[in-house]
């Protein structure tokens, strides 16, 4: 509770420090507008038109329904990755053999392009939720797995010895010695995993489903409806930035105050 | 009667023999120092006595009610502030949180830390301050046996004396027994009832010195005098490889 209050208290200062980023966003929008004046509305609609379209779309039941579907798939996929990645990563980290054996598997998972997974998943699961969720899991699970694994592998033996010398009970050992260290590795991996999930979900939808933001993007493309396509992109980027800068980053700052 | 008894203790790391046939007894209320050159196996011996390392050959019998350890490096939790670090051992003993914090604050002040340091994380402390926090963490639990592994080495002279006088006060009241490790002979002479000389390769005990004058009555003159005496000793010269000119 004290912790949440501290986050809220530091929040205005954090926002204030964001002026630079906001300025750079405006600069980007200005360049975008210049591009529009150079290449015309069909290739690159103006920011104003895009945001107008966006505004209308956000009041359209059907569009909201599509967004919901995508959110559901991303949440399922990311949730599964988070759970599996964290638990298996921790387990693998605690056993030297398991961590050695998991390395090549992780390399395969990380190295294989997501597009190949989508094709395989379409063959295995057909068109629909399962294919998308599977692809999301395959893409973001290894990131989280590696984070948890490294967090566990790098636990400090000296601190463990210190804990032993004070006869720390197991729950204190976990909360005070292991958890903060592991968390400092696993939390950033959750953040990257989430970003990955959000990107992959749209790509998988575009190729493998008839609903969701990705599918809407495919429809916009086939109708050459550039404003709608751009508005969809803005939704994706906007939501990612919101989650990253408004929710996760302030949290991370508080959690890692102790780091030099 | 509480005591620590070490009998026929040998230790190896891999194929390297580190300690050979160590024997000694530490009685309740007394201070036993082990001095020797760096790399001689002192830390290893202390870890064996505190059961932080598994005893392979020989015996370590510890009948003290409670013990705590101040490590050579401070070993603070980087994610906890000064007070929470000191309170760790108290909380492990099941002391109530508010009381643990209160006692930690009191001892922190005794050990020359300031109120403004209490909320700092270890990364923002100097080496000497970290050592003080580590020392406070070991003493706040009021152990009946204290293991000290060169806890004063990173401190400047003034503070070193201050912390030593805290110990001397506790020794005078018979509140504590100490197994003390150092490579500083004067420090050992100031604090100990008995000094064991540990010679390296492999670590074995070559000589024993006893001091009966109560610690609280040992002034600088006494310490310098005894140091000068002991530095004439052939075994000491040999162990520390002192060059005489
Ligand atoms: N965990 C370990 N594994 C292998 N060798 C070690 C280990 N710890 C210490 N040693 C070796 O044991 C010897 C004695 O070390 P130590 O007990 O730290 O000496 P001191 O505290 O007297 O300086 C050194 O040569 C050191 O390299
Ligand atoms: Mg040592």
């Amino acid at each position: 509770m004290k912790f949440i209050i501290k986050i809220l208290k530091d929040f205005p200062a954090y926002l204030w420090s964001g002026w630079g980023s906001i300025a750079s966003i405006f600069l980007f929008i200005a360049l975008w507008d210049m591009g529009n004046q150079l290449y015309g509305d069909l290739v690159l609609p103006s920011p104003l038109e895009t945001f107008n379209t966006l505004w209308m779309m956000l009041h359209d039941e059907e569009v909201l329904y599509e967004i919901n579907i995508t959110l559901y798939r991303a949440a399922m996929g990311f949730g599964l990755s988070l759970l599996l990645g964290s638990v298996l990563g921790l387990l693998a980290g605690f056993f030297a053999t398991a961590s050695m054996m998991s390395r090549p598997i992780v390399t395969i998972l990380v190295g294989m392009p997501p597009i190949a997974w989508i094709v395989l998943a379409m063959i295995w699961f057909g068109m629909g939720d399962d294919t998308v969720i599977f692809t999301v899991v395959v893409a973001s699970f290894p990131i989280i797995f590696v984070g948890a694994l490294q967090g566990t592998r790098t636990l400090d033996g000296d601190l463990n010895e210190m804990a032993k010398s004070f006869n720390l009970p197991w729950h204190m050992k976990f909360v005070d010695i292991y958890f903060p260290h592991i968390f400092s590795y696993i939390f950033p991996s959750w953040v990257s995993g989430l970003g990955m999930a959000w990107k992959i979900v749209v790509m998988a939808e575009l190729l493998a489903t008839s609903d969701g933001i990705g599918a809407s993007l495919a429809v916009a493309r086939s109708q050459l409806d550039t404003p709608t396509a751009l508005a969809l992109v803005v939704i994706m980027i906007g939501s990612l930035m919101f989650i990253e800068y408004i929710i996760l980053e302030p949290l991370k700052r508080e959690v890692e105050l102790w780091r030099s | 009667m509480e005591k620590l008894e070490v009998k026929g203790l040998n230790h190896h790391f891999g194929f390297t023999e580190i300690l050979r046939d160590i024997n000694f007894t530490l009685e309740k209320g007394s201070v036993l120092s082990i001095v020797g050159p760096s790399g001689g196996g002192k830390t290893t011996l202390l870890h064996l006595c505190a059961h932080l390392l598994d005893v392979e050959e020989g015996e370590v019998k510890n009948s003290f009610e409670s013990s705590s350890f101040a490590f050579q490096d401070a070993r603070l939790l980087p994610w906890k502030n000064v007070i929470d670090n000191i309170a760790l051992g108290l909380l492990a003993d099941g002391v109530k949180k508010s009381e643990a914090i209160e006692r930690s604050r009191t001892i922190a002040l005794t050990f020359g830390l300031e109120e403004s340091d209490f909320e700092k994380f270890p990364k923002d402390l100097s080496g000497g301050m970290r050592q003080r926090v580590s020392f406070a963490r070991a003493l706040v639990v009021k152990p009946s046996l204290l293991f000290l592994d060169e806890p004063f080495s990173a401190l400047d002279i003034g503070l070193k004396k201050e912390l030593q006088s805290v110990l001397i006060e506790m020794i005078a009241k018979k509140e504590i027994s100490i197994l003390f490790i150092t490579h500083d002979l004067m420090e050992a002479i100031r604090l100990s009832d008995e000094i064991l000389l540990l010679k390296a390769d492999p670590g074995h005990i070559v000589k024993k010195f006893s001091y009966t004058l109560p610690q609280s009555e040992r002034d600088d003159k006494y310490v310098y005098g005894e140091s000068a005496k002991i530095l004439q000793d052939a075994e000491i010269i040999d162990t520390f490889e002192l060059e005489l000119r």
Side-chain angles (χ1 to χ4, degrees):
Chain A
M1 196 56 218
K2 221 170 78 191
F3 184 65
I4 296 170
I5 292 174
K6 181 138 179 4
I7 290 182
L8 292 178
K9 214 173 69 197
D10 289 348
F11 194 65
Y14 168 70
L15 277 188
W16 185 250
S17 71
W19 274 118
S21 335
I22 292 172
S24 94
I25 291 175
F26 278 121
L27 187 68
F28 175 75
I29 292 178
L31 284 174
W32 175 2
D33 200 64
M34 247 168 67
N36 162 251
Q37 289 171 26
L38 277 175
Y39 296 104
D41 283 344
L42 184 63
V43 176
L44 190 67
S46 72
L48 185 65
E49 194 189 344
T50 306
F51 284 111
N52 274 334
T53 317
L54 176 66
W55 184 251
M56 268 158 49
M57 283 166 69
L58 290 179
H59 288 87
D60 184 341
E61 291 273 323
E62 263 174 62
V63 177
L64 290 181
Y65 174 73
E66 304 288 343
I67 294 178
N68 262 333
I69 288 180
T70 303
L71 276 179
Y72 165 76
R73 289 170 179 157
M76 282 298 284
F78 176 66
L80 270 174
S81 310
L82 185 108
L83 204 72
L84 285 176
S86 306
V87 171
L88 293 180
L90 290 179
L91 281 179
F94 276 115
F95 302 102
T97 341
S99 66
M100 250 159 53
M101 280 172 58
S102 64
R103 271 193 61 184
I105 300 175
V106 168
T107 312
I108 293 173
L109 287 182
V110 173
M112 190 144 153
I115 196 84
W117 283 115
I118 296 177
V119 172
L120 284 178
M122 275 161 48
I123 297 171
W124 293 337
F125 303 113
M127 314 285 271
D129 278 359
D130 295 347
T131 297
V132 178
I133 294 174
F134 172 81
T135 316
V136 170
V137 171
V138 161
S140 75
F141 163 82
I143 299 175
I144 297 171
F145 180 86
V146 169
L149 180 90
Q150 281 182 338
T152 326
R153 296 300 293 165
T154 51
L155 279 173
D156 186 345
D158 284 353
L159 289 183
N160 204 8
E161 204 170 61
M162 186 277 291
K164 200 173 157 193
S165 82
F166 282 102
N167 293 318
L168 253 61
W170 67 268
H171 66 271
M172 269 184 83
K173 250 191 200 166
F174 185 79
V175 174
D176 294 329
I177 313 282
Y178 302 146
F179 178 75
H181 178 88
I182 294 176
F183 191 74
S184 72
Y185 278 79
I186 219 175
F187 187 75
S189 81
W190 288 350
V191 176
S192 347
L194 184 65
M196 181 60 98
W198 197 228
K199 274 182 268 185
I200 295 296
V201 78
V202 175
M203 190 166 103
E205 280 180 343
L206 192 141
L207 293 164
T209 61
S210 53
D211 50 8
I213 296 181
S216 309
L217 209 54
V219 172
R221 183 202 65 92
S222 65
Q223 297 173 351
L224 282 185
D225 184 356
T226 336
T228 304
L230 272 182
L232 287 167
V233 171
V234 170
I235 291 179
M236 280 147 47
I237 295 177
S239 51
L240 197 64
M241 285 175 82
F242 177 80
I243 294 175
E244 176 129 15
Y245 289 111
I246 304 296
I247 300 178
L248 295 176
E249 185 65 27
L251 200 68
K252 193 170 140 194
R253 282 182 185 219
E254 294 300 334
V255 172
E256 304 206 328
L257 265 183
W258 55 272
R259 291 210 134 182
S260 38
Chain B
M1 194 69 172
E2 298 170 83
K3 66 177 169 186
L4 175 75
E5 232 181 327
V6 174
K7 271 191 207 154
L9 186 67
N10 296 325
H11 198 77
H12 293 80
F13 280 126
F15 292 109
T16 324
E17 188 177 19
I18 306 289
L19 295 170
R20 178 185 292 170
D21 194 29
I22 307 288
N23 297 283
F24 64 83
T25 305
L26 169 62
E27 305 279 352
K28 186 179 165 67
S30 66
V31 180
L32 182 78
S33 291
I34 294 164
V35 295
S38 292
K42 302 187 297 298
T43 298
T44 307
L45 175 56
L46 201 64
H47 283 203
L48 285 167
C49 291
H51 292 296
L52 296 177
L53 274 175
D54 289 331
V55 175
E56 288 168 354
E57 278 174 67
E59 247 190 310
V60 173
K61 268 197 270 177
N62 180 359
S63 58
F64 281 98
E65 264 169 28
S66 61
S67 66
S68 70
F69 205 116
F71 293 89
Q72 191 166 3
D73 42 347
R75 301 203 185 173
L76 304 179
L77 296 175
W79 41 82
K80 286 193 176 284
N81 67 26
V82 165
I83 291 300
D84 289 338
N85 259 298
I86 298 177
L88 189 74
L90 288 172
L91 294 175
D93 282 350
V95 175
K96 238 179 52 209
K97 175 105 186 184
S98 55
E99 193 197 329
I101 298 291
E102 197 44 51
R103 277 167 65 182
S104 303
R105 293 174 69 93
T106 314
I107 201 165
L109 291 173
T110 323
F111 285 1
L113 293 155
E114 279 163 32
E115 196 114 12
S116 57
D117 301 326
F118 286 1
E119 306 279 310
K120 285 184 185 162
F121 289 105
K123 70 170 163 99
D124 298 322
L125 302 177
S126 69
M129 280 158 91
R130 277 182 222 151
Q131 204 80 44
R132 270 176 270 174
V133 174
S134 157
F135 198 57
R137 178 180 64 188
L139 274 178
V140 76
V141 295
K142 298 214 163 80
S144 82
L145 171 60
L146 179 63
F147 295 103
L148 290 182
D149 192 353
E150 310 198 23
F152 305 123
S153 48
L155 301 179
D156 50 61
I157 301 174
L159 204 79
K160 194 187 271 201
K161 277 208 154 168
E162 243 170 75
L163 293 192
Q164 284 173 356
S165 55
V166 173
L167 283 184
I168 289 171
E169 213 172 293
M170 295 175 80
I171 295 164
K173 289 191 217 149
K174 294 279 171 204
E175 277 174 357
I176 200 164
S177 320
I178 304 176
L179 184 55
F180 182 38
I181 274 186
T182 180
H183 58 249
D184 180 341
L185 274 173
M186 296 226 280
E187 199 169 276
I189 290 170
R190 192 180 294 279
L191 292 173
S192 329
D193 297 305
E194 201 168 275
I195 296 177
L196 302 179
L197 184 60
L198 189 80
K199 200 169 166 179
D201 293 321
H204 59 291
I205 295 170
V206 288
K207 193 139 188 178
K208 192 166 110 176
F209 304 91
S210 293
Y211 299 90
T212 45
L213 188 73
Q215 280 84 348
S216 47
E217 290 168 31
R218 296 180 194 171
D219 52 10
D220 286 347
K221 211 173 130 214
Y222 175 84
V223 173
Y224 294 140
E226 291 298 322
S227 305
K229 240 189 270 172
I230 212 178
L231 281 170
Q232 309 289 322
D233 188 284
E235 288 287 8
I236 293 266
I237 292 168
D238 191 30
T239 304
F240 284 94
E241 290 168 3
L242 297 175
E243 295 246 347
L244 288 189
R245 298 175 199 199

